[in-house]
């Protein structure tokens, strides 16, 4: 529903502040803060009356109806067991090397669990369809997400041609975007704090009727406004920057399903690739 609101495809109209609040509520699904409108308002930094108005705008009689939907998940957030285990290790064993490594690994396990728990078959199938049907695919991610974009390009090029990094040759983002048309696809990847250049490129592509697949973190991500489909990934860990582990896991799922969608073509592409690797003696 929030995706439809962001794209202007819904009869419900929300302002930026209300959309941001709703996106944060969705991210809190199953969190104890949802038990009280006062606690939720404090967590979101807004007035309780704003939450009540938001609930009514969504068609509920009040906060209670929206609260019931958001509390359908377990009161223990997805993967919380792993985080609790890591916290126990830290408090009982001190900040040893093993404790720190265990905490980070458990947090990443929890993020991957959230991919499974919150899996949206409709959006995922649409993403696979967009990739499979596109004439050409450009993937855009900068700064840390350049690594994710490169991994996704490498994986997709194993099973089909004409996949590349946007501005991969450093000849200009505008020049690359200008070559894309309605039959192509732009995959844009970013998470909070979002890279303005990625959002701007996605919006420009959408204005040219180029389908955009957003791979981002939250239902209030600004990348959603321009997207045809969106895949959401949690990345909250104690890593010093945004964690890419769960994003890479999602990319692997996406690449596998794209191969499964066109099995004959994928097998042929992999066979040709293996022949060329052997011919050039790349692998020892």
């Amino acid at each position: 529903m929030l995706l439809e609101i962001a794209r202007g495809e819904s009869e419900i109209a929300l302002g930026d502040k209300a959309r941001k609040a709703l996106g944060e509520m969705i991210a809190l699904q199953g969190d104890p803060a949802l038990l009280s409108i006062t606690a939720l308002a404090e967590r979101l930094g807004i007035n309780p009356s704003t939450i009540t108005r938001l609930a009514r705008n969504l068609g509920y009689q009040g906060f209670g109806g929206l609260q019931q939907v958001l509390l359908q998940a377990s009161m223990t957030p997805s993967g919380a067991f792993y985080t609790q285990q890591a916290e126990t290790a830290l408090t009982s064993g001190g900040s040893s090397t093993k404790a720190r490594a265990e905490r980070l690994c458990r947090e990443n396990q929890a993020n991957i669990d959230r991919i499974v728990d919150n899996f949206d078959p409709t959006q995922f199938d649409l993403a696979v369809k967009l990739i499979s049907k596109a004439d050409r695919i450009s993937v855009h991610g900068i700064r840390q997400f350049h690594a994710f974009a490169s991994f996704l390009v490498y994986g997709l090029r194993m099973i089909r041609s004409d996949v590349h990094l946007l501005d991969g040759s450093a000849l200009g983002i505008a020049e690359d975007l200008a070559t894309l048309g309605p039959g192509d696809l732009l995959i844009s990847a970013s998470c909070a704090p979002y890279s303005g250049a990625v959002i701007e490129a996605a919006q420009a592509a959408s204005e040219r009727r180029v389908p955009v697949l957003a791979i981002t973190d939250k239902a209030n991500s600004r990348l959603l406004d321009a997207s045809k489909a969106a895949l959401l990934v949690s990345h909250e860990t104690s890593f010093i920057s945004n964690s890419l582990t769960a994003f890479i896991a999602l990319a692997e799922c996406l690449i596998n399903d794209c191969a499964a969608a066109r099995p004959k073509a994928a097998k042929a592409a992999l066979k040709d690739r293996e022949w060329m690797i052997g011919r050039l003696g790349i692998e020892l």
Side-chain angles (χ1 to χ4, degrees):
M1 180 181 64
L2 189 54
L3 289 174
E4 292 176 352
I5 292 173
R7 297 170 184 148
E9 299 170 355
S10 173
E11 295 179 357
I12 300 172
L14 297 178
D16 290 342
K17 185 177 181 180
R19 277 176 48 199
K20 182 176 183 295
L22 180 57
E24 291 178 355
M25 286 184 204
I26 293 173
L28 288 172
Q29 187 175 14
D31 192 288
L34 294 169
L35 289 173
S36 162
I37 191 172
T38 303
L40 179 59
E42 290 179 357
R43 174 73 71 87
L44 300 180
I46 58 179
N47 193 288
S49 62
T50 302
I51 299 175
T52 301
R53 286 195 300 271
L54 172 59
R56 289 173 178 167
N57 286 338
L58 295 175
Y60 300 101
Q61 291 185 349
F63 173 64
L66 177 58
Q67 179 189 44
Q68 184 176 0
V69 172
L70 296 174
L71 285 175
Q72 284 178 353
S74 166
M75 284 308 301
T76 301
S78 302
F81 169 78
Y82 299 118
T83 304
Q84 290 167 0
Q85 290 295 99
E87 289 289 352
T88 300
L90 282 172
T91 55
S92 61
S95 55
S96 67
T97 300
K98 181 179 183 299
R100 290 193 297 272
E102 181 178 355
R103 174 179 180 176
L104 184 56
C105 289
R106 297 298 188 189
E107 289 166 343
N108 279 309
Q109 284 180 302
N111 284 330
I112 294 174
D113 280 346
R114 292 186 182 99
I115 292 177
V116 178
D117 293 343
N118 300 320
F119 192 82
D120 185 340
T122 301
Q123 287 296 306
F124 193 86
D125 290 347
L126 178 56
V128 172
K129 181 179 179 180
L130 288 171
I131 293 172
S132 301
K133 299 293 185 181
D135 295 328
R136 296 175 300 163
I137 300 173
S138 290
V139 185
H140 193 202
I142 64 174
R143 303 159 67 202
Q144 192 167 327
F145 270 86
H146 184 273
F148 169 80
S150 296
F151 177 79
L152 187 56
V153 167
Y154 182 87
L156 291 176
R157 288 185 67 175
M158 292 173 64
I159 57 175
R160 59 162 295 161
S161 59
D162 241 340
V163 183
H164 65 274
L165 287 170
L166 187 71
D167 194 29
S169 57
L171 295 177
I173 292 178
E175 287 77 5
D176 261 11
L177 282 175
T179 67
L180 298 178
D184 302 320
L185 175 68
L186 175 64
I187 302 177
S188 301
S190 186
C191 70
Y194 307 100
S195 296
V198 175
I199 294 172
E200 186 68 22
Q203 291 174 340
S206 179
E207 290 168 7
R208 288 176 56 85
R209 297 187 296 116
V210 177
V212 177
L213 166 58
I215 300 180
T216 186
D217 54 350
K218 295 181 180 179
N220 59 2
S221 168
R222 289 183 59 191
L223 267 179
L224 301 187
D225 294 2
S227 69
K228 181 75 173 179
L231 301 177
L232 306 183
V233 181
S234 176
H235 61 92
E236 296 178 5
T237 70
S238 53
F239 180 50
I240 60 172
S241 185
N242 293 324
S243 175
L244 293 182
T245 304
F247 282 94
I248 295 297
L250 177 72
E252 291 183 4
C253 295
L254 196 56
I255 293 164
N256 267 12
D257 257 51
C258 288
R262 301 175 61 189
K264 291 184 179 179
K267 287 180 181 178
L270 288 170
K271 184 177 180 180
D272 290 342
R273 180 177 178 272
E274 289 173 354
W275 183 90
M276 189 59 71
I277 288 174
R279 171 63 181 82
L280 297 178
I282 291 173
E283 295 178 350
L284 302 178

